[in-house]
DNA sequence: ATTCAATCTTTACGGTGTCAAGTTTAAATT
DNA sequence: AATTTAAACTTGACACCGTAAAGATTGAAT
């Protein structure tokens, strides 16, 4: 009566178990064998769903990123947000706070694989790192709304400044005694002049 | 005739070998046993000099950070630098370029241990992350030179803005298509208004 | 009823960090 | 100069890891 066969949804169970382990004991504590054990399954079972450990980690990153994205969307659609400029301000703050509240996520999400980004503002690259894409779209909207005429190069620099600032400050947001959102609030206003 | 005993300077040899492996094949390729083998020594020999692997990695980080620091000092002492403000601009650019040229170093240096920093501008914390300390000192000098009277809180925010910007932008400096020094040059001028 | 492909188990291999016990050596002590 | 000592190294062992191969189990398709 081996009812361990055909778990039902092992793939997702592995992802959930992986997230739990990372949250409780850090990324280093995560091993394929522990994740498998947490799901009550043999140590080689994950190989039916993921070709290797890195692939499981990628799947975990994907779901974490999705959670992150939905937080950003909530911020951008907040009731107090009246235009693209305010949406960007709100997103940025939420962005930085996310990594302040989960300092380990920054390295976990980025330390192996750099996010793909294209700073060319005239085109959309749907495979780009989704939070970056969100900034890019709102910034384009802001440029339209503001009515200021900018060259392609100027727009690109504007994007690097605002998103680079957010992503950059996020990397220090988890440090003790560092209030990264202050920098954001002050500098972002100068970015979006 | 075992002339492997008393290597002479195994501690430093291990550090050098470790740096070489990291530069050639990345941090993941570094194992205590490989480092030991590269020094022609048995797999447990490192334990005479380091209590564990993490400790060897810390020593490696220390020497890398020292190289980094001396680059910053060279920038700050450049012949074209006439005052503290220009020193900060030059340091920042070199700072970001260092991580653009060695993208893997950013995660290697920071992904386990966050650098210690104290943003209180009135005191010196000699154990703080050295590159941060350097910024802090030059910024204090800049505040003196500029003659502007600022409150303690305003000075602190100024520090978070400038160093946070540099350290932050460094985290994205290694990405394709991202010119982080542009952001630095534009934003730093607004920081040091 | 049989086949089949997906899912999971078992076993095995080489690599890893770390520990314990033994060996070698240079330098300190007598 | 002989002996002791402590540091620097070797050897061997252990548990854990990622991964591969081969076999067992199962629900669904034929």
């Amino acid at each position: 009566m081996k009812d361990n066969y055909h778990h039902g949804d092992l793939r997702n169970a592995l992802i959930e178990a992986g997230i739990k382990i990372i949250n409780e004991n850090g990324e280093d504590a995560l091993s394929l064998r522990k994740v498998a054990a947490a799901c009550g399954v043999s140590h080689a079972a994950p190989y039916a769903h993921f070709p290797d450990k890195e692939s499981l980690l990628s799947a975990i990153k994907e779901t974490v990123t999705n959670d992150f994205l939905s937080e950003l969307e909530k911020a951008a659609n907040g009731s107090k947000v009246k235009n693209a400029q305010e949406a960007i301000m709100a997103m940025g703050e939420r962005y930085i706070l996310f990594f302040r509240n989960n300092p380990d996520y920054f390295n976990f999400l980025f330390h192996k694989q750099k996010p793909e980004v294209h700073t060319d503002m005239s085109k959309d690259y749907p495979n780009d790192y989704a939070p970056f894409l969100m900034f890019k779209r709102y910034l384009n909207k802001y440029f339209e709304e503001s009515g200021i005429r900018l060259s392609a190069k100027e727009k690109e620099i504007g994007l690097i400044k605002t998103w680079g600032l957010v992503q950059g400050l996020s990397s220090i947001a988890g440090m003790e005694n560092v209030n990264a959102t202050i920098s954001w609030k002050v500098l972002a206003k100068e970015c979006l002049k």
Side-chain angles (χ1 to χ4, degrees), chain A:
Chain A
M1 199 156 353
K2 306 257 187 166
D3 55 359
N4 271 346
Y5 286 80
H6 294 89
H7 171 288
D9 195 13
L10 183 55
R11 205 193 118 98
N12 284 321
L14 292 167
I15 293 174
E16 293 295 325
I19 291 179
K20 198 178 170 199
I21 291 178
I22 290 176
N23 280 332
E24 285 172 358
N25 301 315
E27 188 185 352
D28 288 352
L30 184 145
S31 73
L32 271 186
R33 292 168 106 105
K34 273 185 209 154
V35 175
C39 295
V41 115
S42 85
H43 66 264
Y47 285 88
H49 301 275
F50 301 99
D52 53 24
K53 185 187 183 184
E54 197 52 39
S55 175
L56 168 60
L57 287 177
S58 287
I60 292 177
K61 283 174 200 167
E62 206 179 308
T63 81
V64 170
T65 299
N66 282 340
D67 293 351
F68 177 37
L69 246 188
S70 76
E71 275 198 35
L72 296 183
E73 273 157 6
K74 235 185 295 175
N77 296 326
S79 57
K80 283 179 288 185
V81 172
K82 303 190 305 288
N83 54 38
Q85 181 179 0
E86 290 181 15
I88 292 170
M89 293 294 295
M91 275 170 58
E93 194 177 350
R94 184 58 127 252
Y95 199 111
I96 293 168
L97 280 175
F98 177 81
F99 290 109
R100 176 171 237 340
N101 295 335
N102 314 281
D104 294 335
Y105 276 157
F106 190 87
N107 288 313
F108 171 62
L109 290 178
F110 306 122
H111 87 133
K112 295 253 177 204
Q113 207 171 341
K114 302 254 175 210
E116 186 178 339
V117 297
H118 292 86
T119 54
D120 170 10
M121 285 283 277
S122 66
K123 258 185 282 184
D124 231 34
Y125 298 79
N127 288 330
D128 275 7
Y129 175 55
F132 167 82
L133 248 187
M134 211 177 148
F135 263 92
K136 188 168 166 179
R137 286 170 181 159
Y138 271 100
L139 197 64
N140 256 325
K141 210 169 146 198
Y142 163 69
F143 287 149
E144 281 177 24
E145 288 180 2
S146 70
I148 322 170
R149 284 230 166 270
L150 293 174
S151 72
K153 194 69 192 168
E154 285 168 325
K155 285 184 183 175
E156 186 170 7
I157 291 178
L159 174 59
I160 297 177
K161 278 200 298 181
T162 53
W163 176 75
L165 192 58
V166 176
Q167 172 76 7
L169 291 178
S170 295
S171 82
I172 67 162
M175 296 181 191
E176 306 276 336
N177 311 321
V178 175
N179 190 336
T181 56
I182 285 191
S183 293
W184 166 245
K185 286 178 187 169
V186 176
L187 285 167
K189 273 183 195 147
E190 292 165 2
C191 275
L192 306 173
K193 60 167 186 300

